[in-house]
């Protein structure tokens, strides 16, 4: 069966510091991978998606970037965090069907 | 701009009642429709998916889709306190990556 991991689970970072969040998927090959952000009390906003290694599409212009160095690894990064980057970051995968499945998420607080 | 709108709630129903959650979407070519449940502090989990007009039932849950009216709903029968959560409506748009657009969610509380 497929599983999706995200780490860290919680992160507190100062403004201006760098960020690296990691997502890995097990039990599937060539998944579509997605990064979402959820601000407090809000819906999910799609940030990036990837249909294959090295292929990244951005949905929202921001100071974040994403990379997919391996088939089942998706990384979200920032060189300098802003206060507005605080939120719940969710990674999701989609295989051959229509449904996206979410990882446990990383809660980021920028102070 | 593709939009998905949900009645924001919060919605409170007594235990055993039917909870009705509604969602409208703006993009007429939307193809797939999903309901996710999200408990506080947790990630969303899939409840139902629906792709064609009509009703789809799974246990106590029924999803209803009307593409002409651009409307999708979720009915929860015999509501339980464990159903208390935020319910997110999501719509897939035509595209190779099947990107999802989410509504802002409806918070449901089932009162014992």
């Amino acid at each position: 069966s497929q599983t999706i991991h995200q780490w860290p689970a919680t992160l507190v970072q100062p403004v201006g510091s760098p960020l690296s969040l990691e997502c890995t998927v097990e039990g599937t090959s060539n998944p579509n991978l997605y990064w979402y952000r959820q601000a407090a009390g809000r819906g999910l906003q799609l940030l990036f998606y990837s249909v294959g290694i090295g292929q990244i599409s951005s949905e929202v212009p921001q100071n974040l970037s994403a990379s997919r160095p391996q088939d089942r690894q998706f990384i979200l990064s920032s060189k300098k965090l802003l206060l507005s980057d605080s939120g719940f970051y969710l990674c999701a995968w989609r295989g051959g069907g229509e449904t996206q499945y979410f990882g446990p998420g990383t809660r980021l607080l920028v102070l | 701009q593709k939009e998905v709108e949900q009645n924001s709630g919060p919605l409170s129903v007594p235990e055993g009642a039917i909870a009705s959650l509604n969602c409208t979407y703006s993009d007429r070519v939307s193809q797939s429709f999903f309901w996710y449940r999200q408990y506080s502090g947790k990630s969303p989990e899939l409840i139902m998916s629906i792709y064609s007009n009509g009703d789809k039932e799974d246990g106590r849950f029924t999803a209803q889709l009307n593409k002409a009216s651009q409307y999708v709903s979720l009915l929860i029968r015999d509501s339980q306190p464990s159903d208390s959560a935020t319910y997110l409506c999501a719509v897939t748009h035509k595209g190779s990556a099947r990107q999802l657009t989410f509504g802002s969610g409806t918070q449901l509380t089932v009162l014992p």
Side-chain angles (χ1 to χ4, degrees), chain A residues 35 37 45-48 57-65:
Chain A
W35 277 113
R37 177 171 60 199
Q45 179 187 35
L46 178 63
L47 301 176
F48 300 94
S57 296
S58 173
E59 286 289 299
V60 181
Q62 61 228 326
N63 68 319
L64 300 172
S65 62

Side-chain angles (χ1 to χ4, degrees), chain A residues 58-79:
Chain A
S58 173
E59 286 289 299
V60 181
Q62 61 228 326
N63 68 319
L64 300 172
S65 62
S67 62
R68 185 169 176 176
Q70 300 179 42
D71 181 44
R72 287 169 285 182
Q73 184 184 32
F74 205 20
I75 297 172
L76 183 69
S77 303
S78 174
K79 293 182 179 179

Side-chain angles (χ1 to χ4, degrees), chain A residues 3 50-51 63 66 78 83 100:
Chain A
T3 55
S50 172
V51 299
N63 68 319
S78 174
L83 286 174
Q100 291 184 24

Side-chain angles (χ1 to χ4, degrees), chain A residues 38-44, chain B residues 6-11 21 34-47 61 74 76 81-90 102-110:
Chain A
Q38 187 176 36
R42 304 287 297 276
L44 276 69
Chain B
Q6 298 182 240
N7 42 342
S8 58
L11 175 66
L21 306 166
F34 304 87
W35 284 99
Y36 286 85
R37 178 176 63 197
Q38 186 176 26
Y39 292 113
S40 180
K42 301 296 185 181
S43 63
E45 55 180 333
L46 181 72
I47 296 294
F61 299 94
L74 180 69
I76 306 174
S82 59
D83 294 326
S84 298
T86 296
Y87 288 80
L88 300 168
C89 174
F102 282 84
S104 57
T106 298
Q107 185 177 346
L108 171 67
T109 301
V110 180

